[in-house]
PDB file of all heavy atoms in Angstrom:
ATOM      1  N   CYS A   8      -0.300 -15.855 -17.320  1.00 95.00           N
ATOM      2  CA  CYS A   8       0.434 -14.642 -16.661  1.00 95.00           C
ATOM      3  C   CYS A   8       1.882 -14.628 -17.010  1.00 95.00           C
ATOM      4  O   CYS A   8       2.620 -13.781 -16.732  1.00 95.00           O
ATOM      5  CB  CYS A   8       0.199 -14.766 -15.197  1.00 95.00           C
ATOM      6  SG  CYS A   8      -1.561 -14.232 -14.759  1.00 95.00           S
ATOM      7  N   ASP A   9       2.424 -15.777 -17.656  1.00 94.00           N
ATOM      8  CA  ASP A   9       3.901 -15.807 -17.982  1.00 94.00           C
ATOM      9  C   ASP A   9       4.855 -15.295 -16.816  1.00 94.00           C
ATOM     10  O   ASP A   9       5.583 -14.515 -16.902  1.00 94.00           O
ATOM     11  CB  ASP A   9       4.169 -14.821 -19.158  1.00 94.00           C
ATOM     12  CG  ASP A   9       5.551 -15.072 -19.755  1.00 94.00           C
ATOM     13  OD1 ASP A   9       6.116 -16.123 -19.574  1.00 94.00           O
ATOM     14  OD2 ASP A   9       6.171 -14.124 -20.443  1.00 94.00           O
ATOM     15  N   GLY A  10       4.475 -15.889 -15.509  1.00 94.00           N
ATOM     16  CA  GLY A  10       5.359 -15.598 -14.423  1.00 94.00           C
ATOM     17  C   GLY A  10       4.945 -14.322 -13.813  1.00 94.00           C
ATOM     18  O   GLY A  10       5.698 -13.938 -12.593  1.00 94.00           O
ATOM     19  N   THR A  11       4.074 -13.483 -14.276  1.00 95.00           N
ATOM     20  CA  THR A  11       3.764 -12.253 -13.517  1.00 95.00           C
ATOM     21  C   THR A  11       2.910 -12.537 -12.291  1.00 95.00           C
ATOM     22  O   THR A  11       1.960 -13.318 -12.379  1.00 95.00           O
ATOM     23  CB  THR A  11       2.975 -11.356 -14.499  1.00 95.00           C
ATOM     24  OG1 THR A  11       3.779 -11.101 -15.710  1.00 95.00           O
ATOM     25  CG2 THR A  11       2.556  -9.841 -13.988  1.00 95.00           C
ATOM     26  N   GLU A  12       3.127 -11.774 -11.303  1.00 95.00           N
ATOM     27  CA  GLU A  12       2.307 -11.925 -10.180  1.00 95.00           C
ATOM     28  C   GLU A  12       0.956 -11.808 -10.332  1.00 95.00           C
ATOM     29  O   GLU A  12       0.539 -10.902 -11.121  1.00 95.00           O
ATOM     30  CB  GLU A  12       2.889 -10.947  -8.935  1.00 95.00           C
ATOM     31  CG  GLU A  12       2.288 -11.105  -7.623  1.00 95.00           C
ATOM     32  CD  GLU A  12       1.043 -10.000  -7.585  1.00 95.00           C
ATOM     33  OE1 GLU A  12       1.018  -8.977  -7.978  1.00 95.00           O
ATOM     34  OE2 GLU A  12       0.036 -10.431  -6.801  1.00 95.00           O
ATOM     35  N   LEU A  13       0.059 -12.516  -9.695  1.00 93.00           N
ATOM     36  CA  LEU A  13      -1.400 -12.646 -10.046  1.00 93.00           C
ATOM     37  C   LEU A  13      -2.130 -11.351 -10.076  1.00 93.00           C
ATOM     38  O   LEU A  13      -2.835 -11.002 -11.023  1.00 93.00           O
ATOM     39  CB  LEU A  13      -2.163 -13.702  -9.227  1.00 93.00           C
ATOM     40  CG  LEU A  13      -3.620 -13.952  -9.580  1.00 93.00           C
ATOM     41  CD1 LEU A  13      -3.721 -14.390 -10.973  1.00 93.00           C
ATOM     42  CD2 LEU A  13      -4.259 -14.938  -8.563  1.00 93.00           C
ATOM     43  N   ALA A  14      -1.923 -10.513  -8.979  1.00 93.00           N
ATOM     44  CA  ALA A  14      -2.714  -9.253  -8.857  1.00 93.00           C
ATOM     45  C   ALA A  14      -2.300  -8.376  -9.947  1.00 93.00           C
ATOM     46  O   ALA A  14      -3.169  -7.672 -10.611  1.00 93.00           O
ATOM     47  CB  ALA A  14      -2.509  -8.634  -7.473  1.00 93.00           C
ATOM     48  N   LEU A  15      -0.996  -8.295 -10.266  1.00 95.00           N
ATOM     49  CA  LEU A  15      -0.606  -7.456 -11.299  1.00 95.00           C
ATOM     50  C   LEU A  15      -1.039  -7.880 -12.659  1.00 95.00           C
ATOM     51  O   LEU A  15      -1.437  -7.162 -13.548  1.00 95.00           O
ATOM     52  CB  LEU A  15       0.982  -7.334 -11.376  1.00 95.00           C
ATOM     53  CG  LEU A  15       1.572  -6.532 -12.411  1.00 95.00           C
ATOM     54  CD1 LEU A  15       1.067  -5.042 -12.474  1.00 95.00           C
ATOM     55  CD2 LEU A  15       3.139  -6.529 -12.360  1.00 95.00           C
ATOM     56  N   CYS A  16      -0.983  -9.254 -12.930  1.00 95.00           N
ATOM     57  CA  CYS A  16      -1.489  -9.853 -14.024  1.00 95.00           C
ATOM     58  C   CYS A  16      -2.896  -9.612 -14.346  1.00 95.00           C
ATOM     59  O   CYS A  16      -3.347  -9.202 -15.378  1.00 95.00           O
ATOM     60  CB  CYS A  16      -1.300 -11.387 -14.071  1.00 95.00           C
ATOM     61  SG  CYS A  16      -1.800 -12.378 -15.487  1.00 95.00           S
ATOM     62  N   GLN A  17      -3.748  -9.632 -13.318  1.00 93.00           N
ATOM     63  CA  GLN A  17      -5.219  -9.371 -13.457  1.00 93.00           C
ATOM     64  C   GLN A  17      -5.402  -7.899 -13.798  1.00 93.00           C
ATOM     65  O   GLN A  17      -6.182  -7.546 -14.615  1.00 93.00           O
ATOM     66  CB  GLN A  17      -5.915  -9.703 -12.260  1.00 93.00           C
ATOM     67  CG  GLN A  17      -5.909 -11.217 -11.881  1.00 93.00           C
ATOM     68  CD  GLN A  17      -6.590 -11.453 -10.569  1.00 93.00           C
ATOM     69  OE1 GLN A  17      -6.464 -10.850  -9.557  1.00 93.00           O
ATOM     70  NE2 GLN A  17      -7.265 -12.696 -10.543  1.00 93.00           N
ATOM     71  N   ALA A  18      -4.564  -7.084 -13.242  1.00 95.00           N
ATOM     72  CA  ALA A  18      -4.620  -5.574 -13.556  1.00 95.00           C
ATOM     73  C   ALA A  18      -4.251  -5.356 -14.963  1.00 95.00           C
ATOM     74  O   ALA A  18      -4.962  -4.494 -15.774  1.00 95.00           O
ATOM     75  CB  ALA A  18      -3.729  -4.761 -12.617  1.00 95.00           C
ATOM     76  N   VAL A  19      -3.271  -5.965 -15.451  1.00 95.00           N
ATOM     77  CA  VAL A  19      -2.798  -5.700 -16.799  1.00 95.00           C
ATOM     78  C   VAL A  19      -3.939  -6.331 -17.785  1.00 95.00           C
ATOM     79  O   VAL A  19      -4.293  -5.652 -18.745  1.00 95.00           O
ATOM     80  CB  VAL A  19      -1.398  -6.459 -17.082  1.00 95.00           C
ATOM     81  CG1 VAL A  19      -1.167  -6.607 -18.594  1.00 95.00           C
ATOM     82  CG2 VAL A  19      -0.348  -5.711 -16.289  1.00 95.00           C
ATOM     83  N   ALA A  20      -4.432  -7.534 -17.440  1.00 95.00           N
ATOM     84  CA  ALA A  20      -5.500  -8.096 -18.321  1.00 95.00           C
ATOM     85  C   ALA A  20      -6.776  -7.163 -18.217  1.00 95.00           C
ATOM     86  O   ALA A  20      -7.352  -7.118 -19.345  1.00 95.00           O
ATOM     87  CB  ALA A  20      -5.778  -9.545 -17.805  1.00 95.00           C
ATOM     88  N   ARG A  21      -7.203  -6.706 -17.056  1.00 93.00           N
ATOM     89  CA  ARG A  21      -8.448  -5.916 -17.088  1.00 93.00           C
ATOM     90  C   ARG A  21      -8.209  -4.677 -17.889  1.00 93.00           C
ATOM     91  O   ARG A  21      -9.089  -4.227 -18.693  1.00 93.00           O
ATOM     92  CB  ARG A  21      -8.743  -5.480 -15.687  1.00 93.00           C
ATOM     93  CG  ARG A  21     -10.138  -4.779 -15.655  1.00 93.00           C
ATOM     94  CD  ARG A  21     -10.742  -4.664 -14.356  1.00 93.00           C
ATOM     95  NE  ARG A  21     -11.451  -5.930 -13.867  1.00 93.00           N
ATOM     96  CZ  ARG A  21     -12.497  -6.505 -14.425  1.00 93.00           C
ATOM     97  NH1 ARG A  21     -13.047  -5.944 -15.520  1.00 93.00           N
ATOM     98  NH2 ARG A  21     -13.065  -7.620 -13.862  1.00 93.00           N
ATOM     99  N   LEU A  22      -7.067  -3.998 -17.869  1.00 94.00           N
ATOM    100  CA  LEU A  22      -6.748  -2.834 -18.753  1.00 94.00           C
ATOM    101  C   LEU A  22      -6.794  -3.264 -20.189  1.00 94.00           C
ATOM    102  O   LEU A  22      -7.458  -2.487 -21.023  1.00 94.00           O
ATOM    103  CB  LEU A  22      -5.349  -2.151 -18.308  1.00 94.00           C
ATOM    104  CG  LEU A  22      -4.875  -0.976 -19.200  1.00 94.00           C
ATOM    105  CD1 LEU A  22      -5.945   0.073 -19.080  1.00 94.00           C
ATOM    106  CD2 LEU A  22      -3.513  -0.621 -18.713  1.00 94.00           C
ATOM    107  N   ALA A  23      -6.240  -4.338 -20.556  1.00 94.00           N
ATOM    108  CA  ALA A  23      -6.115  -4.754 -21.874  1.00 94.00           C
ATOM    109  C   ALA A  23      -7.581  -5.024 -22.445  1.00 94.00           C
ATOM    110  O   ALA A  23      -8.050  -4.626 -23.552  1.00 94.00           O
ATOM    111  CB  ALA A  23      -5.300  -6.056 -22.118  1.00 94.00           C
ATOM    112  N   VAL A  24      -8.438  -5.774 -21.671  1.00 92.00           N
ATOM    113  CA  VAL A  24      -9.794  -6.090 -22.050  1.00 92.00           C
ATOM    114  C   VAL A  24     -10.557  -4.724 -22.252  1.00 92.00           C
ATOM    115  O   VAL A  24     -11.344  -4.620 -23.074  1.00 92.00           O
ATOM    116  CB  VAL A  24     -10.476  -6.994 -21.028  1.00 92.00           C
ATOM    117  CG1 VAL A  24     -11.958  -7.098 -21.057  1.00 92.00           C
ATOM    118  CG2 VAL A  24      -9.842  -8.313 -21.117  1.00 92.00           C
ATOM    119  N   SER A  25     -10.292  -3.764 -21.279  1.00 92.00           N
ATOM    120  CA  SER A  25     -11.076  -2.388 -21.407  1.00 92.00           C
ATOM    121  C   SER A  25     -10.695  -1.803 -22.756  1.00 92.00           C
ATOM    122  O   SER A  25     -11.529  -0.890 -23.200  1.00 92.00           O
ATOM    123  CB  SER A  25     -10.587  -1.564 -20.374  1.00 92.00           C
ATOM    124  OG  SER A  25      -9.396  -0.917 -20.439  1.00 92.00           O
ATOM    125  N   ARG A  26      -9.683  -2.123 -23.427  1.00 91.00           N
ATOM    126  CA  ARG A  26      -9.392  -1.379 -24.720  1.00 91.00           C
ATOM    127  C   ARG A  26      -9.945  -2.138 -26.003  1.00 91.00           C
ATOM    128  O   ARG A  26      -9.952  -1.837 -26.959  1.00 91.00           O
ATOM    129  CB  ARG A  26      -7.829  -1.556 -24.916  1.00 91.00           C
ATOM    130  CG  ARG A  26      -7.142  -0.725 -24.073  1.00 91.00           C
ATOM    131  CD  ARG A  26      -7.468   0.751 -24.033  1.00 91.00           C
ATOM    132  NE  ARG A  26      -6.693   1.551 -23.267  1.00 91.00           N
ATOM    133  CZ  ARG A  26      -6.107   2.788 -23.508  1.00 91.00           C
ATOM    134  NH1 ARG A  26      -6.331   3.181 -24.716  1.00 91.00           N
ATOM    135  NH2 ARG A  26      -5.556   3.507 -22.721  1.00 91.00           N
ATOM    136  N   MET A  27     -10.679  -3.389 -25.599  1.00 91.00           N
ATOM    137  CA  MET A  27     -11.300  -4.105 -26.732  1.00 91.00           C
ATOM    138  C   MET A  27     -12.774  -3.652 -27.037  1.00 91.00           C
ATOM    139  O   MET A  27     -13.351  -3.069 -26.113  1.00 91.00           O
ATOM    140  CB  MET A  27     -11.333  -5.544 -26.383  1.00 91.00           C
ATOM    141  CG  MET A  27      -9.873  -6.158 -26.064  1.00 91.00           C
ATOM    142  SD  MET A  27      -8.820  -6.195 -27.542  1.00 91.00           S
ATOM    143  CE  MET A  27      -9.694  -7.209 -28.624  1.00 91.00           C
ATOM    144  N   ASN A  28     -13.177  -3.878 -28.243  1.00 91.00           N
ATOM    145  CA  ASN A  28     -14.578  -3.519 -28.561  1.00 91.00           C
ATOM    146  C   ASN A  28     -15.308  -4.801 -28.395  1.00 91.00           C
ATOM    147  O   ASN A  28     -15.276  -5.727 -29.165  1.00 91.00           O
ATOM    148  CB  ASN A  28     -14.649  -3.112 -30.063  1.00 91.00           C
ATOM    149  CG  ASN A  28     -15.999  -2.900 -30.303  1.00 91.00           C
ATOM    150  OD1 ASN A  28     -16.957  -3.292 -29.856  1.00 91.00           O
ATOM    151  ND2 ASN A  28     -16.158  -2.371 -31.632  1.00 91.00           N
ATOM    152  N   LEU A  29     -15.923  -4.940 -27.222  1.00 89.00           N
ATOM    153  CA  LEU A  29     -16.572  -6.232 -26.797  1.00 89.00           C
ATOM    154  C   LEU A  29     -17.761  -6.542 -27.638  1.00 89.00           C
ATOM    155  O   LEU A  29     -18.100  -7.717 -27.775  1.00 89.00           O
ATOM    156  CB  LEU A  29     -16.851  -6.157 -25.355  1.00 89.00           C
ATOM    157  CG  LEU A  29     -15.655  -6.088 -24.291  1.00 89.00           C
ATOM    158  CD1 LEU A  29     -16.170  -6.053 -22.897  1.00 89.00           C
ATOM    159  CD2 LEU A  29     -14.560  -7.117 -24.442  1.00 89.00           C
ATOM    160  N   ALA A  30     -18.278  -5.600 -28.278  1.00 90.00           N
ATOM    161  CA  ALA A  30     -19.403  -5.845 -29.174  1.00 90.00           C
ATOM    162  C   ALA A  30     -18.936  -6.646 -30.362  1.00 90.00           C
ATOM    163  O   ALA A  30     -19.526  -7.459 -30.855  1.00 90.00           O
ATOM    164  CB  ALA A  30     -20.069  -4.565 -29.605  1.00 90.00           C
ATOM    165  N   ALA A  31     -17.675  -6.332 -30.825  1.00 91.00           N
ATOM    166  CA  ALA A  31     -17.151  -6.953 -31.910  1.00 91.00           C
ATOM    167  C   ALA A  31     -16.497  -8.372 -31.592  1.00 91.00           C
ATOM    168  O   ALA A  31     -16.594  -9.321 -32.239  1.00 91.00           O
ATOM    169  CB  ALA A  31     -16.061  -6.097 -32.640  1.00 91.00           C
ATOM    170  N   THR A  32     -15.701  -8.447 -30.360  1.00 90.00           N
ATOM    171  CA  THR A  32     -15.087  -9.631 -29.990  1.00 90.00           C
ATOM    172  C   THR A  32     -16.111 -10.658 -29.452  1.00 90.00           C
ATOM    173  O   THR A  32     -15.728 -11.903 -29.622  1.00 90.00           O
ATOM    174  CB  THR A  32     -13.995  -9.372 -29.049  1.00 90.00           C
ATOM    175  OG1 THR A  32     -14.639  -8.840 -27.808  1.00 90.00           O
ATOM    176  CG2 THR A  32     -12.976  -8.387 -29.433  1.00 90.00           C
ATOM    177  N   GLY A  33     -17.057 -10.357 -28.970  1.00 91.00           N
ATOM    178  CA  GLY A  33     -18.001 -11.221 -28.168  1.00 91.00           C
ATOM    179  C   GLY A  33     -17.258 -11.546 -26.909  1.00 91.00           C
ATOM    180  O   GLY A  33     -16.304 -10.813 -26.424  1.00 91.00           O
ATOM    181  N   PRO A  34     -17.806 -12.378 -26.090  1.00 91.00           N
ATOM    182  CA  PRO A  34     -17.302 -12.787 -24.789  1.00 91.00           C
ATOM    183  C   PRO A  34     -15.852 -13.047 -24.866  1.00 91.00           C
ATOM    184  O   PRO A  34     -15.345 -13.851 -25.849  1.00 91.00           O
ATOM    185  CB  PRO A  34     -18.135 -13.899 -24.320  1.00 91.00           C
ATOM    186  CG  PRO A  34     -19.365 -13.762 -25.118  1.00 91.00           C
ATOM    187  CD  PRO A  34     -19.056 -13.209 -26.466  1.00 91.00           C
ATOM    188  N   ILE A  35     -14.975 -12.557 -24.008  1.00 92.00           N
ATOM    189  CA  ILE A  35     -13.536 -12.842 -23.987  1.00 92.00           C
ATOM    190  C   ILE A  35     -13.299 -14.268 -23.454  1.00 92.00           C
ATOM    191  O   ILE A  35     -13.876 -14.721 -22.422  1.00 92.00           O
ATOM    192  CB  ILE A  35     -12.815 -11.867 -23.010  1.00 92.00           C
ATOM    193  CG1 ILE A  35     -13.066 -10.361 -23.605  1.00 92.00           C
ATOM    194  CG2 ILE A  35     -11.332 -12.164 -22.968  1.00 92.00           C
ATOM    195  CD1 ILE A  35     -12.686 -10.126 -24.883  1.00 92.00           C
ATOM    196  N   THR A  36     -12.654 -14.949 -24.198  1.00 93.00           N
ATOM    197  CA  THR A  36     -12.240 -16.274 -23.816  1.00 93.00           C
ATOM    198  C   THR A  36     -10.891 -16.605 -23.344  1.00 93.00           C
ATOM    199  O   THR A  36     -10.755 -17.619 -22.565  1.00 93.00           O
ATOM    200  CB  THR A  36     -12.538 -17.398 -25.032  1.00 93.00           C
ATOM    201  OG1 THR A  36     -11.629 -16.842 -26.100  1.00 93.00           O
ATOM    202  CG2 THR A  36     -13.927 -17.237 -25.609  1.00 93.00           C
ATOM    203  N   HIS A  37     -10.010 -15.779 -23.661  1.00 94.00           N
ATOM    204  CA  HIS A  37      -8.511 -15.999 -23.207  1.00 94.00           C
ATOM    205  C   HIS A  37      -7.708 -14.753 -23.331  1.00 94.00           C
ATOM    206  O   HIS A  37      -7.954 -13.854 -24.119  1.00 94.00           O
ATOM    207  CB  HIS A  37      -7.858 -16.921 -24.212  1.00 94.00           C
ATOM    208  CG  HIS A  37      -6.774 -17.596 -23.550  1.00 94.00           C
ATOM    209  ND1 HIS A  37      -6.771 -18.737 -22.817  1.00 94.00           N
ATOM    210  CD2 HIS A  37      -5.315 -17.384 -23.681  1.00 94.00           C
ATOM    211  CE1 HIS A  37      -5.598 -19.070 -22.352  1.00 94.00           C
ATOM    212  NE2 HIS A  37      -4.772 -18.331 -22.873  1.00 94.00           N
ATOM    213  N   VAL A  38      -6.881 -14.451 -22.280  1.00 96.00           N
ATOM    214  CA  VAL A  38      -5.990 -13.359 -22.289  1.00 96.00           C
ATOM    215  C   VAL A  38      -4.651 -14.009 -21.863  1.00 96.00           C
ATOM    216  O   VAL A  38      -4.372 -14.597 -20.897  1.00 96.00           O
ATOM    217  CB  VAL A  38      -6.435 -12.238 -21.186  1.00 96.00           C
ATOM    218  CG1 VAL A  38      -5.331 -11.218 -21.206  1.00 96.00           C
ATOM    219  CG2 VAL A  38      -7.677 -11.740 -21.492  1.00 96.00           C
ATOM    220  N   THR A  39      -3.594 -13.674 -22.689  1.00 96.00           N
ATOM    221  CA  THR A  39      -2.279 -14.054 -22.455  1.00 96.00           C
ATOM    222  C   THR A  39      -1.253 -12.996 -22.411  1.00 96.00           C
ATOM    223  O   THR A  39      -1.330 -12.064 -23.298  1.00 96.00           O
ATOM    224  CB  THR A  39      -1.753 -14.957 -23.737  1.00 96.00           C
ATOM    225  OG1 THR A  39      -2.665 -15.966 -23.854  1.00 96.00           O
ATOM    226  CG2 THR A  39      -0.464 -15.484 -23.545  1.00 96.00           C
ATOM    227  N   LEU A  40      -0.560 -12.885 -21.417  1.00 96.00           N
ATOM    228  CA  LEU A  40       0.535 -11.856 -21.122  1.00 96.00           C
ATOM    229  C   LEU A  40       1.846 -12.563 -21.508  1.00 96.00           C
ATOM    230  O   LEU A  40       2.175 -13.659 -21.054  1.00 96.00           O
ATOM    231  CB  LEU A  40       0.575 -11.456 -19.735  1.00 96.00           C
ATOM    232  CG  LEU A  40      -0.429 -10.350 -19.280  1.00 96.00           C
ATOM    233  CD1 LEU A  40      -1.695 -10.745 -19.298  1.00 96.00           C
ATOM    234  CD2 LEU A  40      -0.028  -9.897 -17.857  1.00 96.00           C
ATOM    235  N   THR A  41       2.730 -11.899 -22.214  1.00 96.00           N
ATOM    236  CA  THR A  41       4.098 -12.255 -22.522  1.00 96.00           C
ATOM    237  C   THR A  41       4.894 -11.191 -21.992  1.00 96.00           C
ATOM    238  O   THR A  41       4.949 -10.131 -22.608  1.00 96.00           O
ATOM    239  CB  THR A  41       4.281 -12.589 -24.002  1.00 96.00           C
ATOM    240  OG1 THR A  41       3.346 -13.484 -24.372  1.00 96.00           O
ATOM    241  CG2 THR A  41       5.677 -13.071 -24.299  1.00 96.00           C
ATOM    242  N   VAL A  42       5.767 -11.487 -21.111  1.00 95.00           N
ATOM    243  CA  VAL A  42       6.733 -10.482 -20.519  1.00 95.00           C
ATOM    244  C   VAL A  42       7.662 -10.158 -21.655  1.00 95.00           C
ATOM    245  O   VAL A  42       8.160 -10.972 -22.375  1.00 95.00           O
ATOM    246  CB  VAL A  42       7.592 -11.074 -19.363  1.00 95.00           C
ATOM    247  CG1 VAL A  42       8.603 -10.176 -18.902  1.00 95.00           C
ATOM    248  CG2 VAL A  42       6.463 -11.469 -18.147  1.00 95.00           C
ATOM    249  N   GLY A  43       7.986  -8.722 -21.862  1.00 91.00           N
ATOM    250  CA  GLY A  43       8.770  -8.359 -22.816  1.00 91.00           C
ATOM    251  C   GLY A  43       9.952  -7.437 -22.234  1.00 91.00           C
ATOM    252  O   GLY A  43       9.771  -6.941 -21.143  1.00 91.00           O
ATOM    253  N   ASP A  44      10.836  -7.173 -23.077  1.00 90.00           N
ATOM    254  CA  ASP A  44      11.955  -6.225 -22.765  1.00 90.00           C
ATOM    255  C   ASP A  44      11.502  -4.851 -23.106  1.00 90.00           C
ATOM    256  O   ASP A  44      11.171  -4.572 -24.205  1.00 90.00           O
ATOM    257  CB  ASP A  44      13.267  -6.639 -23.544  1.00 90.00           C
ATOM    258  CG  ASP A  44      14.278  -5.607 -23.244  1.00 90.00           C
ATOM    259  OD1 ASP A  44      14.345  -4.595 -24.041  1.00 90.00           O
ATOM    260  OD2 ASP A  44      15.133  -5.874 -22.437  1.00 90.00           O
ATOM    261  N   CYS A  45      11.385  -3.883 -22.088  1.00 90.00           N
ATOM    262  CA  CYS A  45      10.930  -2.543 -22.409  1.00 90.00           C
ATOM    263  C   CYS A  45      11.690  -1.848 -23.457  1.00 90.00           C
ATOM    264  O   CYS A  45      11.132  -1.096 -24.301  1.00 90.00           O
ATOM    265  CB  CYS A  45      10.849  -1.843 -21.069  1.00 90.00           C
ATOM    266  SG  CYS A  45       9.567  -2.369 -19.951  1.00 90.00           S
ATOM    267  N   GLY A  46      13.017  -1.960 -23.402  1.00 86.00           N
ATOM    268  CA  GLY A  46      13.870  -1.260 -24.397  1.00 86.00           C
ATOM    269  C   GLY A  46      13.590  -1.679 -25.840  1.00 86.00           C
ATOM    270  O   GLY A  46      13.395  -0.950 -26.787  1.00 86.00           O
ATOM    271  N   ARG A  47      13.457  -2.959 -26.059  1.00 85.00           N
ATOM    272  CA  ARG A  47      13.274  -3.566 -27.201  1.00 85.00           C
ATOM    273  C   ARG A  47      11.729  -3.212 -27.741  1.00 85.00           C
ATOM    274  O   ARG A  47      11.599  -2.910 -29.060  1.00 85.00           O
ATOM    275  CB  ARG A  47      13.281  -5.140 -27.201  1.00 85.00           C
ATOM    276  CG  ARG A  47      13.027  -5.836 -28.596  1.00 85.00           C
ATOM    277  CD  ARG A  47      13.434  -7.211 -28.393  1.00 85.00           C
ATOM    278  NE  ARG A  47      14.872  -7.443 -28.154  1.00 85.00           N
ATOM    279  CZ  ARG A  47      15.405  -8.637 -28.085  1.00 85.00           C
ATOM    280  NH1 ARG A  47      14.689  -9.677 -28.156  1.00 85.00           N
ATOM    281  NH2 ARG A  47      16.622  -8.590 -27.760  1.00 85.00           N
ATOM    282  N   LEU A  48      10.794  -3.163 -26.819  1.00 82.00           N
ATOM    283  CA  LEU A  48       9.489  -2.751 -27.372  1.00 82.00           C
ATOM    284  C   LEU A  48       9.518  -1.313 -27.590  1.00 82.00           C
ATOM    285  O   LEU A  48       8.776  -1.027 -28.657  1.00 82.00           O
ATOM    286  CB  LEU A  48       8.514  -2.954 -25.974  1.00 82.00           C
ATOM    287  CG  LEU A  48       7.078  -2.398 -26.255  1.00 82.00           C
ATOM    288  CD1 LEU A  48       6.392  -3.414 -27.185  1.00 82.00           C
ATOM    289  CD2 LEU A  48       6.321  -2.493 -24.909  1.00 82.00           C
ATOM    290  N   ALA A  49      10.262  -0.459 -27.031  1.00 79.00           N
ATOM    291  CA  ALA A  49      10.223   0.822 -27.363  1.00 79.00           C
ATOM    292  C   ALA A  49      10.866   1.136 -28.747  1.00 79.00           C
ATOM    293  O   ALA A  49      10.345   1.929 -29.606  1.00 79.00           O
ATOM    294  CB  ALA A  49      11.114   1.685 -26.271  1.00 79.00           C
ATOM    295  N   ARG A  50      11.861   0.362 -29.016  1.00 83.00           N
ATOM    296  CA  ARG A  50      12.532   0.438 -30.420  1.00 83.00           C
ATOM    297  C   ARG A  50      11.686  -0.227 -31.485  1.00 83.00           C
ATOM    298  O   ARG A  50      11.531   0.324 -32.475  1.00 83.00           O
ATOM    299  CB  ARG A  50      13.899  -0.188 -30.345  1.00 83.00           C
ATOM    300  CG  ARG A  50      14.926   0.576 -29.516  1.00 83.00           C
ATOM    301  CD  ARG A  50      16.363   0.019 -29.580  1.00 83.00           C
ATOM    302  NE  ARG A  50      16.450  -1.377 -29.226  1.00 83.00           N
ATOM    303  CZ  ARG A  50      16.590  -1.868 -27.957  1.00 83.00           C
ATOM    304  NH1 ARG A  50      16.621  -0.986 -26.993  1.00 83.00           N
ATOM    305  NH2 ARG A  50      16.638  -3.108 -27.735  1.00 83.00           N
ATOM    306  N   SER A  51      11.018  -1.379 -31.267  1.00 80.00           N
ATOM    307  CA  SER A  51      10.384  -2.078 -32.329  1.00 80.00           C
ATOM    308  C   SER A  51       9.055  -1.476 -32.641  1.00 80.00           C
ATOM    309  O   SER A  51       8.511  -1.592 -33.690  1.00 80.00           O
ATOM    310  CB  SER A  51      10.293  -3.625 -32.018  1.00 80.00           C
ATOM    311  OG  SER A  51       9.496  -3.807 -30.872  1.00 80.00           O
TER     312      SER A  51
END
């Protein structure tokens, strides 16, 4: 979770997993969140 509160981390992870093609990935083994700067993300 990279310091993100657990409930929010789980919500972010669940949304991310919902975007994956689970037939292609197979069972999910790991989800990593890295906190980022929103302005930098918008630009890059």
Side-chain angles (χ1 to χ4, degrees):
C8 296
D9 192 23
T11 301
E12 185 268 325
L13 183 59
L15 179 56
C16 180
Q17 290 173 331
V19 170
R21 185 162 286 287
L22 179 59
V24 168
S25 77
R26 296 298 182 136
M27 300 298 292
N28 177 349
L29 297 180
T32 62
I35 301 300
T36 59
H37 202 83
V38 177
T39 302
L40 276 66
T41 304
V42 175
D44 176 270
C45 292
R47 182 173 294 180
L48 177 65
R50 289 186 303 275
S51 67

